[in-house]
Amino acid sequence: MNTYVILRRSGWRSPEDLEAAAERSSKVGDEEMSDDIRWIRSYVLEEDGGSVGTVCIYQASSPDAIRKHAGAADLPVTEVIPLGGTVVIRPDPESAAA
């Protein structure tokens, strides 16, 4: 599997909508596509107008698998970017509630 960054701009109206989407994403990924996709983490974006977006890190067999997963879980996909590597200077800070 390769690692990808998935940009989802202004995908949800509220954090509650995002929470419901996260549940769908986990269910589809874990139960229907576990051989093709793995959700690693997401960073929540506060978008203009109060909407919510995300930057997600996934491992997947292909960009098509990411798009298939997104379609099955009713998730937006603005852009899929292959990740070339990781440089960690500091661990992620403690997460605020999304």
Side-chain angles (χ1 to χ4, degrees), residues 18-35 37-39 58 68-70 72-75:
L18 174 56
E19 187 175 325
E23 288 178 26
R24 291 191 310 271
S25 178
S26 291
K27 182 175 181 173
V28 170
D30 293 345
E31 296 177 12
E32 300 174 27
M33 299 183 68
S34 62
D35 290 340
I37 197 159
R38 243 180 65 181
W39 181 14
Y58 274 70
K68 180 179 176 184
H69 169 264
D74 192 26
L75 305 171

Side-chain angles (χ1 to χ4, degrees), residues 6-98:
I6 306 165
L7 180 60
R8 305 179 198 276
R9 298 304 305 245
S10 299
W12 302 276
R13 292 175 295 194
S14 69
E16 294 79 19
D17 290 344
L18 174 56
E19 187 175 325
E23 288 178 26
R24 291 191 310 271
S25 178
S26 291
K27 182 175 181 173
V28 170
D30 293 345
E31 296 177 12
E32 300 174 27
M33 299 183 68
S34 62
D35 290 340
D36 288 313
I37 197 159
R38 243 180 65 181
W39 181 14
I40 306 301
R41 73 171 42 98
S42 294
Y43 299 95
V44 179
L45 307 174
E46 294 179 8
E47 303 276 15
D48 291 336
S51 66
V52 178
T54 59
V55 174
C56 302
I57 309 300
Y58 274 70
Q59 289 183 320
S61 57
S62 69
D64 287 338
I66 290 169
R67 289 184 178 86
K68 180 179 176 184
H69 169 264
D74 192 26
L75 305 171
V77 175
T78 306
E79 190 172 358
V80 177
I81 306 161
L83 192 63
T86 304
V87 176
V88 177
I89 304 301
R90 294 178 184 86
D92 284 346
E94 291 296 318
S95 179

